Amino acid sequence: MYTIYDYAYNGLLYLNNIMRPRHKRLSQLMIYSTTACQSRCKHCNIWQKKVEHLSLDDIQRIMQSQCVTKRTTVGLEGGEFILHPQAAEIMAWFHAHHPNYTLLSNCLAPHRVIDAVRRYHPRHLYVSLDGDRETYQRMRGRDGYDRVIQVVEALKDEVPLSLMFCLSPWNNFDDMAYVIDVAKHYGVDVRIGIYGTMAYMMASPPAPLQGERGVVTLGATNQRQVYSLPSPLGEGLGVRLSPLGEGLGVRLSQTQENFDFVALYDQWQGRHLRLRCLSIMSCLVVHSNGDVPLCQNLDVVLGNIHSQSLDEIFNGASACQTQCHYSRHCNDCWINFHRKYDIILVRNLERLLPKWLIEKFYGPYQWTADPKQTYRKHLKTIQ
């Protein structure tokens, strides 16, 4: 999925953003351009919000920012982006002026998605699928499984395509295995996330659920939402993946970014894993009302594009102070948009340097309860 050039570029970007905090550049920019959504998901209540949109003019103004470069990957999402009243115009503009953009979709309007992809050629299409037909109906409140498969079958050979799976209180590891198998069947990528209570999505802690399909139980401390995930392993996730043989552990291990993100959750959940949150120096989101939050987890707003430029919001003195504070002290989420960045950064540093030397400039960090444990040694114990 990533080339040596990608790793080298991101390494240089990391150095620039740490050494020149007032001149940071973005590796990723996610634009939540609309709250319109025809799904009725239990794990996301954005469909209950008032419908609002960022206009094409708003987006063009964002894209003129110096912190956005031609290598910045821009994601278009919502809600459901394809329902944006200017969806075609926005994608046409990106196709002509910033082709390094991606589209996220629930695919409940399959013909519109297929037509838009074929006309405006996003670099990547991300499609939500959280389990089999029954799970989809229960979790997303719509009978949309066949429409997702219709889009996958139509576009799998035309655009890089990823199935997006979210492990949550309303599905389980059987559903994860099912989606991984669907991805393998169609020869497409799969990305795995773990449910979190993001304020923008109006997501809230669920009541404990009981039943054959498993349950996620919730514990909360301050702003940290912690879930004990349903697991076929008995002792939780990330401790005994190898006894699964040809099952879930092998499926997950075929994609390192998925395997370590899921497997390390138990260590984070148990407060043993601690990494600096450096993704907030390189990854940013803009909400449909123009707010630019520090991250996807905390309700900390850096500014609003309707009153400031994105450069002022992201690279201003106040923002730099806020980013520096939270990058050093916050370890309160396991959202894949942020934590995968941090995992990849530190594991790659460990390939080049000993842990004690990394801590000289990065600061103290640990993967497990043993502060001396390295990424490679820990992953070997659970693979």
Side-chain angles (χ1 to χ4, degrees), residues 122-277:
R123 287 283 171 88
H124 206 113
L125 175 64
Y126 295 94
V127 174
S128 300
L129 185 63
D130 297 308
D132 60 17
R133 188 186 307 275
E134 176 189 345
T135 299
Y136 193 103
Q137 174 83 46
R138 180 180 62 254
M139 187 168 170
R140 293 186 165 262
R142 288 287 187 266
D143 183 14
Y145 178 87
D146 288 335
R147 282 174 274 185
V148 171
I149 298 302
Q150 179 184 351
V151 172
V152 172
E153 290 180 340
L155 296 176
K156 62 183 177 64
D157 297 321
E158 300 183 28
V159 62
L161 191 152
S162 295
L163 298 180
M164 302 290 286
F165 175 87
C166 179
L167 185 61
S168 78
W170 300 277
N171 59 5
N172 65 15
F173 285 102
D174 289 340
D175 294 306
M176 182 191 291
Y178 180 88
V179 172
I180 292 172
D181 287 344
V182 170
K184 184 176 181 180
H185 173 76
Y186 287 109
V188 299
D189 179 44
V190 62
R191 305 290 175 92
I192 294 172
I194 296 176
Y195 175 76
T197 54
M198 295 166 58
Y200 177 71
M201 303 295 184
M202 296 175 63
S204 57
L209 306 173
Q210 300 294 338
E212 293 182 0
R213 299 185 65 82
V215 51
V216 176
T217 55
L218 169 69
T221 55
N222 299 324
Q223 303 205 32
R224 180 187 178 93
Q225 303 294 342
V226 179
Y227 300 90
S228 178
L229 296 171
S231 175
L233 311 180
E235 296 299 324
L237 175 64
V239 207
R240 300 179 183 169
L241 290 181
S242 56
L244 289 175
E246 296 302 316
L248 180 62
V250 170
R251 289 182 175 92
L252 275 174
S253 64
Q254 292 170 353
T255 305
Q256 188 179 32
E257 278 72 25
N258 286 323
F259 180 83
D260 56 17
F261 177 74
V262 176
L264 288 167
Y265 178 86
D266 262 8
Q267 296 298 326
W268 173 82
Q269 178 194 40
R271 294 185 173 274
H272 303 310
L273 179 148
R274 183 164 190 88
L275 297 176
R276 285 187 61 180
C277 186

